[in-house]
Amino acid sequence: MEKLIITAAICGAEVTKEHNPAIPYTVEEIAREAYSAYKAGASVIHLHVREDDGTPTQRKERYDECIKAIKERCPDVIVQPSTGGSVGMTSAERLEPVDLKPEMATLDCGTLNFGGDEIFVNTENMIKEFGKKMIDLGVKPEVEVFDKSMIDMAIRLCKKGFIKEPIHFSFVMGVNGGISGDLRDFIFLKESIPCGSTYSVAGIGRFEFTLAAASIISGGHVRVGFEDNVYIEKGVLAKSNGELVEKVVRLAKEFGREIANPTEARKILGLN
């Protein structure tokens, strides 16, 4: 079985210090949390950035600042900017960090009802636009799927030349409006991707570690972090992203999976 790639989603766009005081906003805080995750065993940092007051932003200047600060502490880590941004941002805003030519960036493959009046919009033409830009700039997409239909969209657009094979999927499970975090649905997604693809699983909230264990056992990879869950166990706030990563490392050890370092992760993901 391949070594386990651990991705740390260190801050997201929606969680705040009111949810957990350790949520990073500033460049220094973001670098601190990235280092805590990297030191614990994460080889990929899934990155949203904030202004100092916590406001989500996709400004490439802010991304550049944060990536440089992360790389000072973790020179070999893979930094994966989000192109999801936050609800209501334009395509142009969301694509800004791709201009920095990171090794990877996320590519959301469908629209989702986040709750209330919030809709995370990703039309087919938007997905094509994002995919083409990533191909043009040599950025590997991590295809974010919140439901099975988004796998179908990715496969269809891959055949049309907007996404390159092999595809790396991220199953984001347990989000309001998306697929549940049930093990049944994890198996459904896992068995729906093309042969030769890789996948990682992000369980939201209470699903985080159950799905992490399922992915470890099944040969997939794992995403954890404050974006997805602020608790280390029921009712106990995590002190850092590193603490969440450490828990996954312990699970991997129990199940006999070795942890991939960034060099090994690049080989598995085809980034070399």
Side-chain angles (χ1 to χ4, degrees):
M1 204 176 276
E2 284 179 332
K3 290 188 177 182
L4 176 69
I5 300 170
I6 302 175
T7 297
I10 60 173
C11 62
E14 309 296 334
V15 289
T16 68
K17 289 184 183 293
E18 283 67 44
H19 297 111
N20 185 323
I23 302 296
Y25 293 170
T26 68
V27 174
E28 172 57 30
E29 289 171 345
I30 284 172
R32 176 201 75 209
E33 284 303 307
Y35 180 68
S36 78
Y38 168 78
K39 189 176 177 183
S43 53
V44 181
I45 302 298
H46 170 74
L47 187 63
H48 289 256
V49 299
R50 310 288 191 94
E51 303 295 357
D52 285 352
D53 65 359
T55 303
T57 180
Q58 288 293 102
R59 288 192 304 112
K60 67 181 177 184
E61 295 82 7
R62 185 67 166 185
Y63 267 96
D64 191 39
E65 223 182 335
C66 290
I67 291 169
K68 285 175 178 173
I70 290 169
K71 288 288 193 175
E72 280 181 15
R73 297 196 185 193
C74 326
D76 61 338
V77 80
I78 300 164
V79 180
Q80 180 199 86
S82 168
T83 64
S86 62
V87 172
M89 288 183 175
T90 65
S91 296
E93 284 178 287
R94 287 169 53 186
L95 274 170
E96 278 201 43
V98 179
D99 288 330
L100 299 172
K101 298 183 180 179
E103 292 178 88
M104 297 185 80
T106 60
L107 175 58
D108 297 279
C109 275
T111 294
L112 189 73
N113 288 323
F114 267 160
D117 293 323
E118 289 197 343
I119 302 174
F120 181 40
V121 177
N122 294 283
T123 67
E124 183 171 354
N125 286 339
M126 286 170 65
I127 300 164
K128 288 178 177 177
E129 177 190 2
F130 283 39
K132 184 176 185 304
K133 183 162 188 174
M134 289 183 196
I135 289 172
D136 290 346
L137 295 179
V139 178
K140 176 155 180 116
E142 177 182 81
V143 172
E144 308 292 301
V145 297
F146 298 84
D147 214 336
K148 197 267 185 182
S149 61
M150 299 184 192
I151 293 175
D152 298 335
M153 173 69 80
I155 293 169
R156 186 164 68 251
L157 294 188
C158 179
K159 289 176 181 175
K160 292 183 177 181
F162 293 98
I163 298 171
K164 284 188 175 180
E165 291 183 300
I167 304 173
H168 177 63
F169 292 91
S170 176
F171 306 151
V172 185
M173 303 183 67
V175 174
N176 187 42
I179 200 164
S180 84
D182 291 345
L183 290 174
R184 172 204 61 190
D185 291 335
F186 162 66
I187 294 166
F188 180 44
L189 295 183
K190 180 177 76 70
E191 294 183 351
S192 298
I193 63 176
C195 183
S197 302
T198 51
Y199 67 90
S200 182
V201 182
I204 304 304
R206 65 187 176 87
F207 298 111
E208 184 164 65
F209 294 109
T210 304
L211 287 171
S215 192
I216 291 166
I217 294 167
S218 302
H221 305 286
V222 174
R223 180 178 114 175
V224 291
F226 283 154
E227 177 173 354
D228 304 330
N229 168 47
V230 296
Y231 295 97
I232 191 66
E233 59 185 74
K234 187 174 181 179
V236 181
L237 290 173
K239 295 174 184 174
S240 68
N241 280 277
E243 191 175 20
L244 296 169
V245 172
E246 285 169 0
K247 188 165 180 176
V248 174
V249 171
R250 290 196 299 273
L251 284 171
K253 186 175 181 180
E254 289 294 324
F255 294 123
R257 285 283 296 274
E258 291 184 65
I259 307 301
N261 63 36
T263 299
E264 293 164 333
R266 284 183 174 91
K267 186 175 180 180
I268 293 166
L269 294 169
L271 297 177
N272 293 330

